[in-house]
Amino acid sequence: MYLTTAIDYANGSPHLGHAYEKVLADALARVQRLKGEAVYWVTGLDEHGQKVQQAALAAGVAPQAHCDGIAAGFQALCGALDISHDDYIRTTEPRHKAVVAEILQVLYDDGLIYKAEYTGFYSVRNEQFVQPKDRLEDGTWPESYGEVVSLTEQNYFFALSRFQDWLIAELKARPDWIFPAFRRSQVLEFLKEPLNDLCISRPITRLSWGIPLPFDNEYVTYVWFDALINYISVLGYPSGPLFAQHWDSAVHVIGKDILVPPHAVYWPIMLHALKLPLPKQLIVHGWWLVRGEKMSKSTGLRVDPMELVAAYGSDAFRYYVLREMVLGQDGDFSQESFDQRYKSDLGNDLGNLVSRLLHMIATYCGGVIPAPTLREAPEMALEAFFKQTIKEIPAAYARLELHKAIEETFSLVRAINRYAEERAPWKLSKDPHAQAALNTTLATMAEGLRLAAVLLLPVLTQAAPRILTLLGQAPSAPWSAEALQWSRSCLTGAKVGEKPILFPRK
Ligand code: MSP
């Protein structure tokens, strides 16, 4: 799988939405790797265009220096969230600019880019011409357009409209191309109206911060046309070995606001015009709201992922966003729900289990995991529950139901806790005749915990390897049938580590 996220605009620092998208793609990449499948996964920064030029101007720095600062912030976020990407592409890098120029020239030479005059209404904020039909009844424009002005310009256009029928047929032939499925209907709905050709240039008199058109240096490239190309420039298109190796298996993770038209209309048509295959899938997530409201610069409503990570750790952040958001729908952030998940799921259910178990193995068994000599009703019930539930987890990931996969994994953790309550090893330890039951209980709990930790590897990238190490195991294990099977012997004799505090009280 070749996995990408949207590349973030370099016009502000990262917020919860940017962080979520990276964690989501990272978890998917880790699942792939655990299943033994090769993954190449990239993210990056979208550095050109009006918004970035304006942000740099407002900050009083040159655009490149401004972007360098923003890039450092986004890259620090990736580090803080334990993102395991293979490359990070910035659209001001020469390797990207060269590919954009080459593609423009090819399309120009093929007659698919042409010059024309255009008069229309232009949204300064969105950097695009808007349609008269979008006007509200009172004659004003939707607030999201910002200032709208009338503009006449000579510009270059990409012949999108020529490919409209092709695109509709393609979409109809690929029912699974967009996840979730209901989003495909939105695209088809959009395509019921005739497509306009796409204006892909901006006169440098109006915007200088962009990639110059190779055939006319009075213009720079429209930022979306430039940005989408990152998905292939980062692979070294056209001749790089990574491109040959990975493009066929591309999966783009994006937010719902950038599906129509950029990813579902411009991008497939650009690829088709270049005689390239389409990506295999678009995974479209919803938006994070904060108490039901959109985050925005103007209202100041904003959740800073770096602050959360600094206070609770990367695992807590990753766990919260993946467990709380149903992929494809909108999600709601609140500090209370974050605290609640941290305290009850991570602290009580998982953290206490680990420290309690390690403490008991240290105290009752000299720090060595004993052999489970008995197999009575409580053990059989736990094993059966594990067997049934474990089957569901990789399947839920494959269906992109990450919240479900995590919920199921935590049901395993809770089942171990219930089993421990039932067997009450702290009582068994006081009964000299109950040695076999005590050993069996601790060994059974340890095996359950091993399996839960293996299944938590894509999410809890710090705690899961740590738990495995504390159980005397390698920090990672593939999701092979063997590693995911309940074993009565694989931990026997392993020396455990000292009890940790994985999720300290806040
Ligand atoms: N630069 C373009 C993408 C170009 S891709 C070739 C862009 N950048 S962005 O910074 O505005 O958004 C980056 C990603 O973050 C998008 O996928 C967007 O949907 C996502 N999010 C931005 N705000 C969000 C939330 N509040 N919630 C979840 N994700 C959201 O668009």
Side-chain angles (χ1 to χ4, degrees):
M1 182 189 284
Y2 167 48
L3 195 62
T4 69
T5 61
I7 52 172
D8 305 301
Y9 276 129
N11 66 337
S13 49
H15 60 55
L16 177 61
H18 303 123
Y20 167 66
E21 191 170 290
K22 284 171 187 50
V23 169
L24 166 62
D26 188 63
L28 295 174
R30 287 175 189 265
V31 167
Q32 257 341 75
R33 288 193 206 109
L34 287 162
K35 291 200 296 193
E37 314 266 348
V39 197
Y40 193 73
W41 128 234
V42 303
T43 181
L45 200 62
D46 187 356
E47 304 191 9
H48 291 124
Q50 194 116 332
K51 287 188 204 176
V52 177
Q53 183 171 288
Q54 281 168 351
L57 200 68
V61 279
Q64 188 63 61
H66 164 82
C67 291
D68 292 348
I70 300 277
F74 273 94
Q75 285 171 332
L77 177 74
C78 289
L81 293 171
D82 223 353
I83 301 298
S84 62
H85 53 303
D86 296 291
D87 202 348
Y88 190 90
I89 177 94
R90 298 180 52 188
T91 56
T92 52
E93 288 176 70
R95 62 171 173 161
H96 174 74
K97 292 199 260 189
V99 176
V100 173
E102 184 172 338
I103 287 175
L104 285 163
Q105 189 68 53
V106 166
L107 296 176
Y108 183 71
D109 293 345
D110 284 351
L112 292 172
I113 289 178
Y114 63 90
K115 195 171 188 184
E117 185 171 273
Y118 183 78
T119 301
F121 295 107
Y122 183 81
S123 151
V124 177
R125 181 186 297 169
N126 298 350
E127 296 171 24
Q128 57 194 13
F129 282 99
V130 296
Q131 302 303 314
K133 70 172 168 51
D134 296 336
R135 231 182 186 151
L136 304 177
E137 272 174 17
D138 64 0
T140 63
W141 298 91
E143 203 199 315
S144 63
Y145 289 7
E147 187 190 0
V148 175
V149 293
S150 171
L151 206 64
T152 299
E153 266 180 12
Q154 289 274 331
N155 261 314
Y156 288 89
F157 290 82
F158 171 52
L160 270 195
S161 56
R162 253 190 248 179
F163 299 95
Q164 178 157 7
D165 292 340
W166 166 83
L167 181 59
I168 293 171
E170 232 13 74
L171 277 163
K172 288 192 170 155
R174 295 168 185 256
D176 301 326
W177 192 55
I178 304 177
F179 176 92
F182 73 87
R183 298 252 173 236
R184 188 176 67 129
S185 332
Q186 292 180 346
V187 183
L188 287 167
E189 198 57 37
F190 178 83
L191 288 169
K192 281 187 178 156
E193 297 286 323
L195 275 180
N196 293 314
D197 287 347
L198 177 67
C199 179
I200 53 101
S201 63
R202 297 291 180 267
I204 47 170
T205 47
R206 181 148 70 74
L207 175 72
S208 57
W209 185 235
I211 301 177
L213 295 187
F215 41 82
D216 190 339
N217 59 16
E218 295 293 304
Y219 292 87
V220 297
T221 312
Y222 169 47
V223 65
W224 267 109
F225 196 90
D226 158 354
L228 287 161
I229 290 172
N230 91 86
Y231 299 133
I232 56 177
S233 67
V234 71
L235 296 178
Y237 172 82
S239 53
L242 288 174
F243 180 74
Q245 202 182 335
H246 295 303
W247 178 248
D248 280 353
S249 57
V251 173
H252 299 315
V253 174
I254 54 169
K256 65 178 185 181
D257 54 315
I258 57 171
L259 175 67
V260 190
H263 284 85
V265 179
Y266 305 162
W267 184 226
I269 292 181
M270 286 164 70
L271 288 165
H272 186 60
L274 293 166
K275 305 182 178 62
L276 292 176
L278 302 194
K280 238 175 53 188
Q281 195 180 30
L282 305 182
I283 296 177
V284 185
H285 63 77
W287 272 48
W288 275 100
L289 305 174
V290 180
R291 299 182 185 288
E293 280 186 65
K294 245 176 108 165
M295 284 182 282
S296 94
K297 280 204 179 125
S298 50
T299 60
L301 196 62
R302 204 168 175 290
V303 175
D304 183 347
M306 285 302 243
E307 273 176 22
L308 286 168
V309 173
Y312 298 85
S314 57
D315 277 349
F317 183 88
R318 294 174 64 105
Y319 176 77
Y320 176 80
V321 291
L322 296 174
R323 171 68 184 81
E324 201 73 8
M325 181 80 120
V326 177
L327 176 49
Q329 298 176 17
D330 287 347
D332 198 51
F333 177 89
S334 75
Q335 188 61 49
E336 292 74 38
S337 67
F338 192 100
D339 285 334
Q340 181 60 25
R341 290 250 175 241
Y342 180 80
K343 193 171 115 194
S344 94
D345 300 8
L346 295 177
N348 292 348
D349 293 342
L350 181 61
N352 284 351
L353 167 62
V354 176
S355 50
R356 205 154 60 140
L357 176 63
L358 293 188
H359 177 73
M360 289 192 290
I361 294 175
T363 320
Y364 308 144
C365 311
V368 175
I369 301 178
T373 47
L374 305 180
R375 191 158 179 268
E376 295 175 342
E379 287 74 37
M380 291 199 293
L382 187 68
E383 265 182 57
F385 180 73
F386 264 66
K387 206 168 164 191
Q388 178 58 34
T389 309
I390 286 175
K391 274 203 310 237
E392 306 291 331
I393 296 168
Y397 276 114
R399 291 193 307 270
L400 299 174
E401 293 173 10
L402 280 75
H403 68 290
K404 183 93 192 298
I406 299 171
E407 190 185 332
E408 298 271 8
T409 312
F410 265 75
S411 78
L412 299 177
V413 172
R414 292 188 188 104
I416 305 170
N417 285 325
R418 278 198 308 276
Y419 166 82
E421 293 302 323
E422 187 181 350
R423 276 296 199 183
W426 43 91
K427 284 190 196 147
L428 296 172
S429 71
K430 297 192 181 106
D431 176 355
H433 303 295
Q435 192 63 42
L438 176 64
N439 287 351
T440 298
T441 306
L442 299 181
T444 303
M445 289 171 69
E447 175 59 7
L449 185 60
R450 176 189 73 81
L451 286 164
V454 170
L455 289 158
L456 284 168
L457 284 166
V459 181
L460 305 182
T461 58
Q462 302 282 317
R466 176 118 186 260
I467 293 169
L468 290 171
T469 314
L470 287 165
L471 294 173
Q473 307 303 297
S476 185
W479 283 6
S480 61
E482 197 198 343
L484 291 184
Q485 181 132 12
W486 186 280
S487 161
R488 286 177 53 78
S489 60
C490 81
L491 293 179
T492 307
K495 184 137 187 45
V496 300
E498 211 154 294
K499 79 168 191 187
I501 300 179
L502 292 176
F503 303 101
R505 282 224 180 115
K506 294 288 161 195

